[in-house]
């Protein structure tokens, strides 16, 4: 009766903590005004940007602002003195230039100011969808991160991490626990600033050597051009723009570079290509585009004479090239044999000496993406790279040194930590694979041959993985990955956090090999901390206060975590932001990413309550509340290898009495969805003094004077089979 009363009191205290956290998570209690903030209608295309947003906050001293101009677009800011206007700098909206996604898969919409010398003067976040900035890490942390750009030159090499003067790299301090977000923000800042700085002359334009073509007079058909890469394809699916999945593409485009004689003659015919080349001036380039499928137009339904074709552009390095009506020519047909049918076509002219057909470039389609949760529309870029094949150019392709992708730089700069973390994952998997050998060396009274590895894994997981690397897997990652699979998968987004990426590879592999228990029971930082507290409390004399929930209650409460998981999954389909708030049922962010003493008291109280309860009963959060555990428990049903059972286990309850996970039922069966793979039952499995069936057989053989044979794989002594005596030969 006392046990039930204590448990009910603890559970009530836990639920009150959850209620307090939920209250704080409500929109009225949150001070993070930029999270999923409503942007002014028309902000993406209205000429007067600064009538809608506070440009004066990012460009101090400016009082008059121009309409949007240039491509990518920007706004000029002027100060007025004695009736005279003086240009003070430029304001840009990040989504006019790049839609680099942050961890949420959505861009952080940022207003950026830059003076006429190319130095950042202000940064203002207008809207973000970052789950990590919902509750645990205040939005002020992102403001402080952005403040690091103030006064820095747009042409500097600025990266997240430590400064490296020998490499001319300026480092910025990251936000602990929000690495992916700040890396994406750094891309936004530097890409946006450089794009405008090149337009206005702060940064010198890139000069590229023009291509020298090889003309073998070959007749090229469509299939050969596609095979060689002279013609490329760009396909956008409906789900990539937030529409319902469909076998039909949103738009299907083919394009190629017409200045090359073999490609030009194949597409336009000899006369048509010659006529086109006659019209082009020196340093101008022609690119053809055809639409072979889809519901969207690449020319844009809102195009007006004198305006821009706002659905397509070319990007080479940091240079972007757009097209006006004077840059458009009709393409009436494609002469190449085998060319697909098309219903929209164009020839666009690039009029810039900065462009060269010898170097790689990207063809970009800009589409409207619909956010299914909010219905909001935003521009999204879809691109493929085009580079003339090596044998199309005299001397082959030039050597191009491409900068490493941000995620590659992270993997390089943290190579040592990644190596140590990978070694930990491999070591734990190898040790567990040797579990039969370890458990045979252990006994019920001396489990150290197993526990020395398990306890070491806990300590390393808590200190190095949890508090050091902040690599605590979470249900929020499951939700993010689920939505990415449904709508748009981006490898670069997940590779930006190498520790979580590697952890999930380990989790997926081991769940299907052995079940959830190797991660949950050995390597989960919070689970390890919870279990270690329980063991330490027992060691210091609190064992008499510790209890195991009765199996009847356990069998009811273990389903709560599944309801929590499916509830979060269902909510995420309607509002990812709300799902992220409700995911605070996980105390991981409070414990590791932010810190128990760095959050509002309800979160600290909730996490501390779970850890405090762990002193008295084994892993209460893991067994009854953890949505991540529920997500991993379901595929554990299909594990390849399980723990061994012997025939007598269906009537012997010795293992069940010692199972802290309550994973062994009355019939001796192990529920691997609940099992934490502590291996206590496997130690008992081969212990001839503690396992009742083995103990009885040992006593019987000893009394009968029979030898004790080794214990076989079935968990019993190898049978003694009498051998008939040999008869002597006469």
């Amino acid at each position: 009766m006392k046990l039930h009363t204590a448990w009910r009191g603890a559970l009530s205290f836990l639920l009150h903590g959850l209620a307090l956290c939920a209250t704080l998570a409500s929109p009225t209690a949150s001070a993070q005004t930029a999270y999923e903030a409503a942007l002014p209608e028309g902000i993406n295309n209205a000429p007067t940007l600064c009538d809608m947003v506070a440009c004066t906050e990012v460009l101090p001293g400016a009082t008059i602002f121009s309409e949007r101009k240039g491509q990518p677009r920007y706004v000029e800011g002027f100060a007025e003195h004695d009736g005279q206007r003086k240009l003070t700098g430029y304001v840009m909206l990040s989504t006019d230039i790049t839609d680099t996604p942050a961890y949420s898969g959505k861009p952080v919409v940022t207003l950026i100011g830059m003076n006429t010398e190319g130095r950042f003067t202000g940064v203002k976040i207008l809207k973000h969808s970052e789950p990590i900035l919902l509750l645990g890490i205040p939005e002020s942390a992102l403001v402080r991160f952005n403040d690091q750009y103030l006064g820095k030159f747009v042409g500097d090499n600025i990266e997240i991490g430590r400064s490296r003067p020998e490499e001319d790299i300026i480092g910025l301090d990251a936000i602990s626990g929000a690495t992916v977000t700040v890396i994406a923000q750094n891309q936004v800042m530097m890409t946006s600033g450089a794009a405008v700085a090149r337009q206005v002359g702060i940064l010198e334009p890139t000069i590229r050597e023009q291509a020298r073509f090889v003309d073998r007079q070959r007749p090229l058909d469509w299939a050969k051009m596609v095979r060689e890469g002279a013609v490329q394809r760009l396909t956008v699916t409906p789900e990539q723009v937030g529409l319902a999945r469909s076998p039909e593409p949103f738009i299907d485009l083919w394009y190629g570079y017409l200045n090359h004689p073999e490609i030009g003659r194949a597409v336009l015919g000899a006369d048509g290509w010659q006529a086109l080349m006659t019209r082009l001036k020196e340093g101008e380039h022609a690119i053809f585009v055809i639409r072979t499928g889809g519901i969207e137009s690449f020319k844009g339904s809102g195009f007006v004479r004198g305006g821009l074709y706002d659905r397509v552009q070319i990007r080479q390095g940091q240079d972007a090239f757009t097209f006006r009506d004077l840059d458009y020519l009709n393409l009436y047909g494609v002469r190449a044999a085998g060319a697909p049918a098309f219903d929209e076509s164009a020839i666009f002219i690039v009029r810039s000496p900065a462009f060269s057909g010898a170097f790689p470039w990207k063809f970009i389609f800009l589409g409207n993406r619909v956010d299914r949760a909010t219905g909001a529309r935003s521009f999204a870029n879809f691109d493929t790279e085009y580079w003339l094949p090596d044998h199309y150019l005299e001397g082959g392709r030039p050597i191009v040194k491409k900068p490493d992708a941000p995620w590659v730089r992270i993997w390089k700069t943290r190579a040592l930590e990644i190596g140590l973390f990978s070694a930990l994952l491999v070591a734990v998997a190898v040790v567990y694979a040797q579990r039969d050998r370890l458990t045979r060396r252990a006994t019920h009274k001396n489990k150290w041959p197993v526990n020395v590895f398990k306890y070491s894994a806990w300590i390393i997981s808590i200190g190095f993985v949890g508090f050091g690397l902040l690599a605590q897997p979470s249900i929020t990652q499951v939700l993010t990955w689920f939505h990415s699979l449904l709508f748009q998968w981006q490898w670069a987004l997940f590779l930006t956090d190498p520790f979580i990426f590697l952890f999930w590879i380990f989790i997926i592999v081991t769940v299907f090999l052995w079940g959830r228990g190797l991660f949950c029971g050995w390597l989960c930082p919070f689970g390890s901390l919870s279990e270690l507290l329980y063991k330490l409390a027992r060691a210091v004399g609190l064992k008499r206060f510790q209890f195991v929930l009765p199996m009847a209650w356990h069998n009811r409460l273990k389903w709560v975590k599944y309801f929590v998981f499916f509830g979060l999954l269902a909510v995420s389909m309607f509002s990812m932001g709300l799902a992220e708030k409700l995911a605070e049922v996980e105390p991981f962010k409070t414990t590791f990413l932010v810190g128990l003493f760095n959050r509002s008291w309800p979160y600290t109280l909730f996490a501390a309550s779970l850890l405090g309860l762990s002193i008295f009963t084994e892993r209460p959060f893991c067994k009854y509340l953890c949505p991540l555990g529920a997500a991993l428990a379901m595929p554990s049903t299909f594990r390849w290898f399980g723990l061994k059972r012997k025939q007598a286990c269906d009537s012997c309850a010795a293992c069940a009495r010692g199972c802290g996970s309550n994973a062994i039922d009355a019939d001796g069966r192990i529920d691997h969805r609940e099992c934490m793979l502590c291996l206590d039952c496997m130690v008992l499995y081969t212990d001839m003094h503690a396992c009742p069936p083995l103990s009885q057989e040992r006593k019987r053989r000893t009394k009968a004077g029979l030898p004790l044979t080794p214990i076989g794989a079935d968990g019993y002594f190898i049978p003694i089979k009498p051998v008939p005596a040999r008869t002597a030969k006469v």
Side-chain angles (χ1 to χ4, degrees):
M1 183 68 181
K2 290 181 179 179
L3 179 65
H4 290 179
T5 302
W7 175 257
R8 284 197 297 270
L11 185 61
S12 174
F13 185 63
L14 190 65
L15 293 176
H16 276 85
L18 271 173
L20 285 169
C21 290
T23 301
L24 188 65
S26 67
T28 56
S30 174
Q32 299 171 8
T33 56
Y35 179 76
E36 292 293 1
L39 295 174
E41 186 176 353
I43 189 174
N44 289 318
N45 42 39
T48 53
L49 172 67
C50 294
D51 287 349
M52 300 182 170
V53 293
C55 292
T56 53
E57 292 186 21
V58 297
L59 192 62
T63 56
I64 301 172
F65 297 93
S66 72
E67 293 187 350
R68 278 180 164 125
K69 60 196 311 181
Q71 193 60 230
R73 295 176 295 177
Y74 63 92
V75 170
E76 292 178 331
F78 300 88
E80 190 170 24
H81 296 287
D82 300 327
Q84 300 293 320
R85 290 186 180 182
K86 180 182 179 181
L87 179 66
T88 60
Y90 312 92
V91 177
M92 60 211 85
L93 184 66
S94 63
T95 47
D96 280 347
I97 301 167
T98 176
D99 65 344
T100 301
Y103 189 78
S104 62
K106 302 175 184 178
V108 175
V109 183
T110 309
L111 195 68
I112 304 167
M114 179 178 69
N115 65 21
T116 54
E117 296 176 352
R119 297 190 177 276
F120 292 111
T121 58
V123 187
K124 181 178 176 63
I125 303 299
L126 301 181
K127 177 181 179 180
H128 73 83
S129 306
E130 296 305 279
I132 194 65
L133 298 176
L134 268 172
L135 301 166
I137 298 175
E139 193 173 280
S140 58
L142 185 57
V143 173
R144 289 193 298 272
F145 169 79
N146 286 330
D147 286 346
Q148 295 178 91
Y149 290 95
L150 302 184
K152 289 185 171 60
F153 180 56
V154 70
D156 288 337
N157 294 318
I158 299 177
E159 293 183 4
I160 306 301
R162 61 182 179 84
S163 295
R164 303 194 296 279
E166 69 280 3
E167 300 178 38
D168 197 26
I169 290 175
I170 298 173
L172 299 181
D173 294 331
I175 300 175
S176 180
T179 306
V180 177
T181 301
V182 297
I183 287 173
Q185 184 67 0
N186 186 55
Q187 286 183 265
V188 167
M189 292 293 299
M190 303 314 295
T191 300
S192 301
V196 174
R198 282 192 174 87
Q199 285 192 71
V200 299
I202 295 173
L203 295 179
E204 294 183 2
T206 304
I207 304 299
R208 300 178 178 88
E209 184 180 354
Q210 293 301 308
R212 297 189 300 275
F213 304 122
V214 174
D215 185 3
R216 296 186 177 88
Q217 301 290 325
R218 296 181 303 160
L220 298 176
D221 59 23
W222 187 264
K224 188 174 184 63
M225 288 192 292
V226 172
R227 190 165 55 251
E228 293 184 346
V231 171
Q232 295 284 354
R233 187 179 194 178
L234 173 60
T235 302
V236 179
T237 62
E239 54 267 31
Q240 287 179 292
V241 293
L243 302 178
R245 190 183 296 271
S246 169
E248 297 297 321
F250 180 71
I251 193 167
D252 195 11
L253 303 173
W254 294 88
Y255 64 95
Y257 181 64
L258 290 175
N259 284 49
H260 193 283
E262 290 182 350
I263 302 172
R265 286 194 294 265
V267 174
L268 303 177
D271 293 340
W273 178 74
Q274 193 60 50
L276 174 64
M277 292 298 104
T278 302
R279 296 184 63 171
L280 296 185
K281 298 177 182 178
E282 184 177 355
E284 295 183 342
H285 309 265
I287 294 163
F288 83 92
V289 186
I290 60 174
R291 185 186 71 175
T292 57
I295 59 175
E296 184 68 4
S297 165
F298 69 79
K299 295 181 181 179
S301 57
F303 177 78
V304 295
R305 186 168 182 80
L308 284 171
Y309 288 96
D310 60 358
R311 300 295 175 86
V312 292
Q313 65 178 225
I314 302 297
R315 183 177 293 276
Q316 192 167 53
Q318 294 295 323
D319 298 312
F321 309 98
T322 55
F323 308 106
R324 297 183 176 275
D325 58 346
L326 297 178
D327 303 322
Y328 165 85
L329 299 175
N330 288 318
L331 174 64
Y332 297 105
V334 176
R335 299 292 186 87
F342 57 88
D343 52 12
E344 191 173 51
S345 62
I347 296 175
F348 291 113
I349 311 300
V350 180
R351 307 183 193 274
S352 172
F355 183 87
S356 170
F359 291 82
W361 49 273
K362 289 183 177 181
F363 177 81
I364 300 172
F365 172 77
L366 296 94
N368 277 312
R369 179 187 288 150
V370 179
D371 187 332
R372 288 193 170 187
T374 64
R377 291 179 174 269
S378 60
F379 277 110
N381 294 348
F382 306 93
D383 60 66
T384 55
E385 185 176 85
Y386 185 98
W387 198 355
L388 280 174
D390 192 78
H391 60 275
Y392 281 51
L393 299 165
E394 284 187 14
R397 287 174 171 175
I399 297 174
V400 176
K401 185 178 180 181
K402 296 182 180 180
D404 290 332
W407 70 267
V408 174
R409 292 199 295 270
I410 294 172
W411 284 67
K412 286 182 177 180
T413 56
R414 307 198 70 177
L416 177 60
E417 295 162 290
I418 291 170
L420 293 173
F421 181 66
S422 301
L424 171 66
L425 299 181
V426 172
V428 169
V430 169
V431 166
Y432 184 77
Q434 303 298 315
R435 62 194 176 280
D436 286 346
R437 294 183 182 180
L438 297 176
T439 54
R440 283 178 181 271
R441 293 177 182 176
T443 66
H444 184 62
K445 294 184 178 180
N446 179 24
K447 298 177 183 176
W448 279 105
V450 173
N451 288 349
V452 68
F453 294 105
K454 187 169 60 178
Y455 292 178
S456 296
W458 291 351
I459 293 170
I460 295 172
S461 176
I462 296 167
F464 175 61
V465 179
F467 289 110
L469 302 179
L470 307 180
Q472 168 68 67
S474 166
I475 191 62
T476 59
Q477 293 144 14
V478 176
L479 299 178
T480 300
W481 291 9
F482 179 76
H483 280 255
S484 296
L485 286 170
L486 284 179
F487 305 122
Q488 185 179 8
W489 182 267
Q490 295 179 334
W491 279 107
L493 181 63
F494 304 113
L495 287 166
T496 307
D497 193 330
F499 306 106
I500 292 296
F501 183 79
L502 291 173
F503 222 153
W504 273 103
I505 293 176
F506 172 86
I507 291 169
I508 292 168
V509 171
T510 57
V511 160
F512 284 101
L513 279 176
W514 300 301
R516 66 177 276 214
L518 192 57
F519 164 70
C520 294
W522 290 56
L523 280 177
C524 173
F526 188 83
S528 298
L529 180 59
S530 176
E531 181 83 355
L532 190 61
L533 287 172
Y534 181 81
K535 297 295 185 185
L536 290 174
R538 172 168 290 198
V540 299
L542 297 179
K543 182 178 179 179
R544 63 183 182 275
F545 300 109
Q546 294 179 331
F547 62 91
V548 177
L549 199 65
M551 185 60 77
W553 276 96
H554 170 80
N555 286 336
R556 295 186 185 101
L557 292 178
K558 71 180 182 182
W559 297 107
V560 173
K561 62 180 176 289
Y562 295 96
F563 287 113
V564 173
F565 167 68
F566 283 111
L568 290 174
L569 187 61
V571 169
S572 74
M573 299 303 295
F574 300 97
S575 172
M576 191 64 176
L578 179 58
E580 297 287 359
K581 293 177 182 178
L582 296 176
E584 284 289 331
V585 70
E586 292 181 328
F588 307 155
K589 188 192 299 181
T590 300
T591 306
F592 297 107
L593 301 185
V594 182
L596 283 169
F597 304 107
N598 296 326
R599 299 203 71 178
S600 301
W601 68 266
Y603 297 101
T604 300
L605 178 63
F606 176 57
S609 299
L610 289 171
L611 293 173
L613 190 57
S614 299
I615 294 173
F616 304 103
T617 188
E618 214 170 324
R619 294 176 178 263
F621 175 77
C622 305
K623 289 190 285 190
Y624 306 121
L625 275 179
C626 182
L628 178 61
L632 301 181
M634 289 180 283
S636 295
T637 306
F638 309 103
R639 76 208 171 278
W640 290 342
F641 304 104
L643 298 179
K644 295 178 179 178
R645 298 279 82 193
K646 62 183 70 171
Q647 187 176 353
C649 289
D650 60 358
S651 58
C652 174
C655 290
R657 282 194 296 270
C659 181
S661 300
N662 282 16
I664 303 177
D665 64 16
D667 295 323
R669 295 170 299 195
I670 298 176
D671 184 353
H672 282 81
R673 291 167 299 188
E674 302 299 318
C675 178
M676 299 295 169
L677 297 182
C678 69
L679 297 181
D680 285 357
C681 62
M682 296 310 299
V683 170
L684 207 66
Y685 187 79
T686 54
D687 188 340
M688 68 179 69
H689 294 278
C691 177
L694 287 179
S695 180
Q696 292 172 10
E697 176 67 9
R698 175 184 58 80
K699 292 176 182 178
R700 187 187 68 80
R701 289 195 182 190
T702 301
K703 186 176 182 180
L706 298 174
L708 297 178
T709 57
I711 299 171
D714 61 354
Y716 295 99
F717 288 104
I718 294 175
I720 299 175
K721 296 181 179 179
V723 178
R726 296 182 180 179
T727 55
K729 294 183 180 179
V730 181

